[in-house]
């Protein structure tokens, strides 16, 4: 599993290479009540973020297989758009 906590382009590069994997989107505090599991290909976590918003900042990302992410973040809820 990869953890992305800095806005340095590593997340975007990982996503491009791992579109068949999964991502957990988390508040920087890792608030267990606000964790969402996405397919890496989900439109809500790909492409150019809305104006003034970065992918990594107040939110951080974890990337890996679905099993890895569900083990590490058992409270993560499935995204309604991609899962
Ligand atoms: Zn999604």
């Amino acid at each position: 599993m990869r953890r992305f906590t800095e806005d340095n382009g590593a997340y975007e590069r990982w996503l491009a290479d791992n579109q068949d994997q999964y991502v957990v989107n988390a508040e920087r505090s890792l608030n267990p009540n606000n964790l969402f599991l996405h397919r890496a290909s989900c439109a809500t976590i790909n492409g150019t973020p809305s104006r003034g918003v970065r992918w990594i900042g107040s939110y951080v990302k974890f990337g890996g297989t679905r099993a890895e992410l569900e083990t590490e973040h058992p409270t993560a809820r499935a995204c309604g758009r991609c899962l």
Side-chain angles (χ1 to χ4, degrees):
M1 193 185 71
R2 292 281 308 272
R3 170 193 297 250
F4 302 100
T5 59
E6 290 182 54
D7 190 44
N8 59 10
Y11 169 68
E12 289 86 344
R13 284 195 297 276
W14 183 90
L15 260 195
D17 290 342
N18 293 279
Q19 287 277 291
D20 57 338
Q21 297 225 24
Y22 292 80
V23 170
V24 164
N25 194 21
E27 291 179 26
R28 188 164 280 277
S29 67
L30 305 185
N31 175 359
N33 299 316
N34 192 19
L35 298 173
F36 279 92
L37 178 70
H38 298 269
R39 294 181 191 274
S41 56
C42 182
T44 65
I45 55 164
N46 272 270
T48 305
S50 320
R51 187 181 174 83
V53 176
R54 295 173 301 168
W55 290 123
I56 309 295
S58 56
Y59 280 78
V60 298
K61 308 279 188 285
F62 298 88
T65 66
R66 185 170 186 169
E68 280 176 330
L69 293 171
E70 286 180 337
T71 299
E72 188 82 6
H73 300 290
T75 63
R77 285 173 281 167
C79 168
R81 281 183 65 165
C82 65
L83 288 170

